[in-house]
Amino acid sequence: PFAGSCVRDKRERMPCNNVMRTYHVIISAVLLKLVAVLLLLLDFLAATCIGLHAVCVCDALGTSFEHHRLQLIPSKLQARELSQSYPETLLSKLFSTEPKRKYAVERVTLKVDHQSDSSAGIALLVGTSGSGKSVLLRLLAGQEIPKNGVLQINDIELHRQKHETSKNNFLNDVSDEFKKRTVRPVVMDRYYQQDACHTSQSKTVEEYLLQLRRGSLAQSNDDMEQANIFLAQKFMTLLGISPADARSKPFNLSVSSQFLFRIACGCMESVLPSLESCNDHGNNDGYIIYCPILLLDELLDFECTSVSQRVSGGLQTLCSVGAVIVVATHKPHHFTNSNIVGQTITLVGGKVLHVS
């Protein structure tokens, strides 16, 4: 009888337990909904604060670096009869399977000018391995001294000077006029800024871009700091880096966003010399800074089509404002599917075979 009464009491309590479980489930669901709403509100407030910060930055630029006072003007890059040769070593004589040619690059002429329809847009360098694409990019960047020819960047000619120019970098010993009036071409291969994308550093994308100027320029004042912020935001906007990605750390970004971040770093590195001299060349009409010059050495050759399409879209926007972009690639179809290619130069054995 006692056991039977216990079973009856338990059965009588079961409906109450089921009701309590239902209440617990409902309360838990409501709490989860409230937490989700609170997270959305916090995200909205953070985005609002970022927008207000951007507005404050633009207001701070009002006295010196407003949109109509800090002007990005198109850059120009021209090479005439560039040639480069390397001394033949004993190892190359003994172990090379191919005969060594006299010139790695021989009498190559290249012009990228947005004022001319025939030479506007991205310039593609195509050819097999060893055809001279990477050597030509290093010559255009001033990393090597050409044996012959002239390199012209934004209407300033760089001549070979044996006694004044160092062996490692052509642009290290150029005149102060060049450093103040123009930008520096930047070579970007698939390893450029790769460490920043694969290390768990504490800096966000925007903070990393701003750090590039602080770490490389000795001169610093409020006007240059505001100009640095403006340029970083300008390049992120042109490349399509969203505000959420700008607040993220580089290693948390998608593959395509990481490439856009690395290109933004190249843009900042290219315009830093002109930014340093803004105060010296500023006038009442505004401050003039040339658009970046980027030399991409097989940067997207190992990526899928979706990544290359998004990155090429950002490059197209950069070209539209006057940036000079020269791409050495084995996969020109990554770029020829869009309308951003101005000319395609085919290299064979260090010589220009065809220009289309």
Side-chain angles (χ1 to χ4, degrees):
F2 176 74
S5 63
C6 290
V7 171
R8 287 194 300 273
D9 293 341
K10 184 176 181 180
R11 289 175 179 176
E12 291 174 356
R13 290 196 301 271
M14 283 181 65
C16 296
N17 292 335
N18 292 334
V19 171
M20 293 300 296
R21 291 193 188 96
T22 304
Y23 286 155
H24 288 163
V25 170
I26 294 174
I27 292 173
S28 300
V30 171
L31 290 177
L32 288 175
K33 290 289 185 181
L34 289 175
V35 170
V37 170
L38 288 176
L39 290 176
L40 289 175
L41 286 175
L42 290 175
D43 188 43
F44 174 76
L45 291 175
T48 305
C49 292
I50 293 294
L52 292 175
H53 174 69
V55 172
C56 294
V57 168
C58 291
D59 292 340
L61 298 175
T63 56
S64 302
F65 289 96
E66 290 180 341
H67 290 277
H68 66 278
R69 289 184 58 80
L70 181 59
Q71 303 177 21
L72 284 172
I73 63 175
S75 290
K76 292 182 288 185
L77 178 64
Q78 184 175 3
R80 297 196 302 269
E81 303 289 331
L82 280 185
S83 298
Q84 179 66 304
S85 63
Y86 302 104
E88 190 174 7
T89 62
L90 179 61
L91 291 178
S92 64
K93 291 180 180 180
L94 294 176
F95 300 104
S96 178
T97 58
E98 297 180 359
K100 179 178 174 60
R101 60 179 185 261
K102 181 178 180 180
Y103 288 98
V105 170
E106 185 176 358
R107 301 181 65 182
V108 174
T109 297
L110 170 70
K111 180 180 181 182
V112 182
D113 186 358
H114 292 278
Q115 296 178 357
S116 174
D117 294 336
S118 61
S119 60
I122 292 179
L124 288 185
L125 302 178
V126 297
T128 59
S129 297
S131 59
K133 301 187 300 297
S134 299
V135 175
L136 180 57
L137 290 185
R138 292 196 295 269
L139 291 175
L140 294 176
Q143 294 181 358
E144 295 183 4
I145 306 172
K147 296 296 181 181
N148 298 299
V150 175
L151 176 63
Q152 188 175 22
I153 301 176
N154 294 330
D155 298 326
I156 300 178
E157 290 189 357
L158 304 178
H159 299 276
R160 184 174 186 268
Q161 300 174 355
K162 296 182 180 179
H163 301 289
E164 298 180 4
T165 308
S166 61
K167 293 182 178 180
N168 296 329
N169 198 315
F170 193 18
L171 299 184
N172 280 344
D173 300 323
V174 296
S175 63
D176 293 336
E177 179 188 9
F178 173 84
K179 295 179 180 179
K180 292 180 179 180
R181 284 184 52 191
T182 189
V183 297
R184 293 177 71 96
V186 176
V187 176
M188 300 177 57
D189 57 11
R190 59 182 181 270
Y191 304 109
Y192 177 81
Q193 294 291 347
Q194 195 175 40
D195 293 339
C197 298
H198 293 88
T199 56
S200 57
Q201 57 177 351
S202 59
K203 295 181 177 61
T204 63
V205 168
E206 187 173 13
E207 292 171 349
Y208 193 90
L209 292 176
L210 297 177
Q211 176 198 355
L212 294 175
R213 188 200 74 85
R214 300 188 185 105
S216 61
L217 299 182
Q219 186 180 6
S220 180
N221 52 50
D222 293 339
D223 286 345
M224 293 184 64
E225 186 67 24
Q226 299 300 335
N228 187 38
I229 295 174
F230 171 77
L231 287 175
Q233 293 179 345
K234 180 72 172 179
F235 291 135
M236 286 191 293
T237 302
L238 290 174
L239 290 169
I241 299 177
S242 65
D245 288 342
R247 299 192 301 268
S248 302
K249 297 178 181 179
F251 71 94
N252 287 330
L253 300 177
S254 63
V255 176
S256 58
S257 297
Q258 286 183 355
F259 274 104
L260 294 175
F261 159 69
R262 292 159 65 181
I263 293 174
C265 291
C267 292
M268 292 296 293
E269 184 179 345
S270 179
V271 301
L272 285 179
S274 342
L275 180 59
E276 185 177 12
S277 61
C278 268
N279 289 342
D280 298 333
H281 291 81
N283 50 48
N284 295 328
D285 296 332
Y287 295 85
I288 295 176
I289 293 181
Y290 284 97
C291 288
I293 299 177
L294 303 180
L295 311 175
L296 311 185
D297 191 3
E298 302 179 10
L299 182 65
L300 301 173
D301 280 15
F302 299 91
E303 302 304 323
C304 61
T305 305
S306 60
V307 173
S308 62
Q309 285 180 349
R310 186 187 176 197
V311 176
S312 62
L315 295 177
Q316 182 177 9
T317 310
L318 278 179
C319 279
S320 65
V321 298
V324 170
I325 301 176
V326 182
V327 181
T329 179
H330 292 281
K331 297 182 178 180
H333 60 273
H334 283 172
F335 303 92
T336 53
N337 292 333
S338 58
N339 296 323
I340 62 176
V341 177
Q343 54 185 322
T344 301
I345 302 172
T346 304
L347 295 175
V348 175
K351 299 179 180 180
V352 176
L353 177 65
H354 180 66
V355 179
S356 62

